[in-house]
Amino acid sequence: MKRALLAGAALLAMGLPLGAQITLFEQPALITSAGQSADVQIASVQARKAGLQTVLVKAAGPTDLAAAKTLILVFGASLKGLGAAGLDVEKEKGRIKALLDGAKTKGVPILALHLGGEARRGDLTDEMVAAYLPFARMAIVVKSGNKDGLFTRICRDKNIPLKEIDKTLDLVEPLKQAFK
């Protein structure tokens, strides 16, 4: 009963309808990138401001999930970031698939973030969003990155609660509300 009330209060506080399915995420959380943009570092800073116990591993693999109770996947493709990480597009896709398979095996829920707005969208980011967002239990995105409704369509089709924020700095409160 208490958990249901907390979930209901979290939905209302996040601006989500009461009927939306939401899981309150547990800590610690592993934060990693899907596309190696710098947005993953911004997510880590905002998670720290929210008081969350997190570990940032930009190119995490399944073994990095050992102590994690939540996987925070930050979408944003950057060819410069991929090069700096020593990855190409196919290696990055393989890494993310292995990580998501590991999360599924361990029962680790995924919180998806897209913080780069319209500037961080593009063919590769969109391809990753289409491929990996359906595995998320919840998504939080900067509104300008969802002008075409890509996140809205996928989340609606997969019954994934979606929270839009105006700017990256607005991420702290939804993160606090999404975690126990």
Side-chain angles (χ1 to χ4, degrees):
M1 178 72 169
K2 183 178 177 183
R3 185 179 169 103
L5 289 173
L6 287 173
L11 288 172
L12 290 173
M14 297 179 79
L16 299 170
L18 275 178
Q21 295 293 316
I22 184 171
T23 298
L24 290 179
F25 295 95
E26 294 184 48
Q27 301 176 51
L30 171 65
I31 301 175
T32 194
S33 177
Q36 299 300 316
S37 75
D39 297 339
V40 71
Q41 293 171 324
I42 294 168
S44 180
V45 168
Q46 296 303 309
R48 234 185 350 256
K49 287 181 180 177
L52 302 181
Q53 297 171 11
T54 62
V55 174
L56 170 63
V57 181
K58 293 179 188 175
T63 58
D64 294 306
L65 290 166
K69 294 184 177 177
T70 299
L71 173 61
I72 299 177
L73 189 62
V74 184
F75 288 102
S78 164
L79 294 178
K80 183 178 176 182
L82 286 169
L87 297 168
D88 61 25
V89 172
E90 292 311 312
K91 285 181 183 174
E92 178 70 344
K93 289 178 182 177
R95 181 189 68 82
I96 297 166
K97 181 174 182 334
L99 185 62
L100 296 180
D101 288 346
K104 183 178 180 182
T105 299
K106 287 191 64 181
V108 175
I110 300 164
L111 172 59
L113 303 178
H114 185 266
L115 305 176
E118 189 172 15
R120 190 56 73 194
R121 290 281 305 278
D123 291 343
L124 183 53
T125 296
D126 290 0
E127 183 181 331
M128 289 181 175
V129 168
Y132 310 127
L133 180 58
F135 296 96
R137 292 240 179 115
M138 182 180 175
I140 302 173
V141 303
V142 170
K143 196 177 293 184
S144 65
N146 193 28
K147 282 183 177 176
D148 63 354
L150 175 65
F151 290 93
T152 300
R153 284 190 303 277
I154 294 171
C155 288
R156 183 184 55 231
D157 291 349
K158 299 296 181 183
N159 198 26
I160 300 167
L162 171 65
K163 172 70 177 170
E164 287 186 323
I165 56 177
D166 289 326
K167 55 189 181 302
T168 303
L169 296 177
D170 296 338
L171 179 61
V172 172
E173 284 306 313
L175 283 178
K176 286 180 181 176
Q177 295 161 2
F179 281 82
K180 290 182 178 177

